[in-house]
Amino acid sequence: IDQFEDKVSEMIAQIQSDLLHYNLTPYFEDIVNVAIASEKKFIILTADPERYNQLRKYGVSIMTLEQLFEKTKLYARVREKTA
């Protein structure tokens, strides 16, 4: 990543500061992912959602690919019934 938007950089700093206050040390790339996902309203897809447990309080949606597939199937079924 070459550069971040100012809002994302600020959020990374805020999250790191908050986590350091509570002696929590997740991977830096997880903090970056959460800051970007929060700012852009993205969903974080991961094979290891537990890795993000310390970071869920920052308002991001985290799910596995299996959960995404199930939600997509459900959405498609609902759309078929209402079409």
Side-chain angles (χ1 to χ4, degrees), residues 11-60:
M11 185 166 220
I12 291 168
Q14 288 173 350
I15 292 170
Q16 281 188 302
S17 175
D18 186 43
L19 294 173
L20 285 172
H21 177 76
Y22 294 105
N23 292 325
L24 300 174
T25 56
Y27 294 108
F28 179 72
E29 60 265 22
D30 293 348
I31 295 170
V32 172
N33 289 340
V34 166
I36 292 170
S38 179
E39 181 62 31
K40 301 291 185 179
K41 308 295 187 244
F42 291 162
I43 296 171
I44 294 177
L45 294 176
T46 178
D48 186 10
E50 291 79 26
R51 179 174 166 164
Y52 288 89
N53 282 343
Q54 304 174 67
L55 300 166
R56 289 182 186 272
K57 67 180 181 178
Y58 299 102
V60 293

Side-chain angles (χ1 to χ4, degrees), residues 1-19:
I1 299 174
D2 290 332
Q3 63 185 31
F4 292 114
E5 295 176 9
D6 288 343
K7 288 182 181 179
V8 173
S9 296
E10 289 172 14
M11 185 166 220
I12 291 168
Q14 288 173 350
I15 292 170
Q16 281 188 302
S17 175
D18 186 43
L19 294 173

Side-chain angles (χ1 to χ4, degrees), residues 70-81:
E70 288 303 315
K71 287 185 183 279
T72 303
K73 284 185 211 174
L74 179 61
Y75 176 76
R77 279 187 238 138
V78 169
R79 293 282 295 171
E80 284 178 359
K81 289 181 182 178

